[in-house]
Amino acid sequence: MHDYRVTIRGRFIGLTDDQRAELTARLADRDMLLNGFTREGGFAYDAAIGPFSFRYVIAVDDEEGEAEAVELALAAAKARLGEYGHGDLSVSAVDMREVKIRRR
């Protein structure tokens, strides 16, 4: 098993006043600078309640690879979005085995 970092970006659309108020009430916990990559998924948006992002760390078997990591992250993000209207989602994934670390 190895990890992929998966980022999902989208935009809220067609929100009701109640949904917008609910998202605004949670704004302090959704700061884009504070939400990193986690297994639960960092969920971030700003005060405009427009664009949002999810950041997941997804562990998959070597045979399954990136496609499986993307599928799992998309399913998790859609489940968390629930009834919130959103536009098309864009996804990017990075295989953490390919990330090079420069040491000083």
Side-chain angles (χ1 to χ4, degrees), residues 9-14 50 52 81 84-90:
R9 290 185 176 85
R11 175 174 284 288
F12 291 113
I13 56 172
F52 61 81
L81 283 168
Y84 295 119
H86 59 84
D88 292 332
L89 300 176
S90 65

Side-chain angles (χ1 to χ4, degrees), residues 87-101:
D88 292 332
L89 300 176
S90 65
V91 182
S92 63
V94 175
D95 184 340
M96 295 308 293
R97 295 177 300 179
E98 297 177 8
V99 175
K100 299 195 184 319
I101 298 173

Side-chain angles (χ1 to χ4, degrees), residues 24-71:
T24 300
R26 296 186 190 154
L27 189 59
D29 297 330
R30 304 297 183 213
D31 189 302
M32 296 231 182
L33 298 176
L34 300 177
N35 280 285
F37 289 90
T38 66
R39 300 217 184 271
E40 299 78 29
F43 179 28
Y45 53 85
D46 62 16
I49 316 292
F52 61 81
S53 69
F54 289 95
R55 296 176 182 158
Y56 289 96
V57 175
I58 304 289
V60 294
D61 291 328
D62 289 338
E63 308 86 49
E64 296 170 348
E66 182 176 333
E68 180 71 12
V70 166
E71 185 179 319

Side-chain angles (χ1 to χ4, degrees), residues 3-28:
D3 290 339
Y4 281 86
R5 284 189 172 186
V6 182
T7 303
I8 300 170
R9 290 185 176 85
R11 175 174 284 288
F12 291 113
I13 56 172
L15 296 174
T16 66
D17 290 339
D18 288 343
Q19 288 172 324
R20 188 169 288 284
E22 185 179 331
L23 289 167
T24 300
R26 296 186 190 154
L27 189 59

